[in-house]
Amino acid sequence: MKEIKIETTLYMYESIDELPRDINSLMQKAIEARKQAYAPYSGFHVGAALLLDNGVVVTGNNQENASYPSGLCAERTAIYYAGSKYPQAKMLQLAISAGGENNPTHEPVPPCGACRQSIAEYEIKQKTSIEIYFMGTSGTVARSNSLQNLLPFIFDKSVL
Ligand code: THU
């Protein structure tokens, strides 16, 4: 038996003001998208903004449903739209902002496991990393240089 250690790296920015100008503007789009989330059941609003290499920014937010599992997360709303509308484009950067409608969050809110698995599929498809920035409603912003840092030891097509 041997032990395997997996290391991962994240970078932390004190606030949105510390972000490079282009990422700051992408995050502003995620925040705008968050404000339009349809989340009447959880009251938890999430917005995502995805920059493609054709210059297009695709945004998405969570869409809930009375049949709870039928709802979809913000990140997947955005990436699946991008994947369907611009199948040739590479996904470069994804900004995410999340928090309770009446309960602001100042810590970074990472994408859920299902979204990580879904984002990973496109990173593998396009053979280049997707940079991910995530935050609450304000405060610290975390950066992951690749989805791999958020989902080590991934299930992918190599095991099929
Ligand atoms: N949600 C997202 O949109 N993204 C995530 O990564 C985590 C959760 C949404 C799903 C649901 O509408 C609400 O947040 C509460 O879980």
Side-chain angles (χ1 to χ4, degrees):
M1 196 275 280
K2 66 175 178 178
E3 181 179 302
I4 297 173
K5 281 207 163 68
I6 300 176
E7 214 175 57
T8 189
T9 308
L10 293 177
Y11 301 87
M12 297 293 177
Y13 299 82
E14 257 178 43
S15 79
I16 190 169
D17 300 328
E18 210 192 320
L19 293 172
R21 189 182 290 267
D22 55 331
I23 304 298
N24 187 308
S25 109
L26 192 66
M27 188 58 88
Q28 297 289 358
K29 292 188 170 94
I31 291 169
E32 284 313 305
R34 188 192 83 224
K35 291 177 181 164
Q36 302 195 72
Y38 177 62
Y41 303 105
S42 72
F44 192 77
H45 292 188
V46 187
L50 175 66
L51 175 67
L52 306 178
D53 70 350
N54 60 9
V56 171
V57 174
V58 171
T59 61
N61 46 36
N62 48 330
Q63 297 293 313
E64 296 189 346
N65 192 283
S67 168
Y68 294 179
S70 301
L72 193 64
C73 290
E75 297 89 330
R76 277 177 286 165
T77 303
I79 63 167
Y80 286 154
Y81 181 78
S84 61
K85 174 97 174 158
Y86 306 104
Q88 309 305 333
K90 287 191 177 186
M91 302 178 186
L92 301 180
Q93 287 152 341
L94 175 66
I96 305 160
S97 169
E101 193 178 9
N102 303 309
N103 185 20
T105 311
H106 309 293
E107 297 305 319
V109 179
C112 76
C115 286
R116 295 181 204 199
Q117 181 72 31
S118 306
I119 298 164
E121 183 71 25
Y122 293 95
E123 200 169 83
I124 293 162
K125 176 188 171 215
Q126 68 187 32
K127 300 190 182 77
T128 53
S129 300
I130 303 172
E131 225 173 55
I132 300 164
Y133 294 81
F134 52 96
M135 66 181 294
T137 45
S138 68
T140 311
V141 182
R143 180 183 106 219
S144 170
N145 283 346
S146 158
L147 195 276
Q148 278 183 32
N149 290 319
L150 295 177
L151 192 61
F153 216 55
I154 192 176
F155 179 95
D156 65 14
K157 64 183 178 187
S158 69
V159 303
L160 295 177

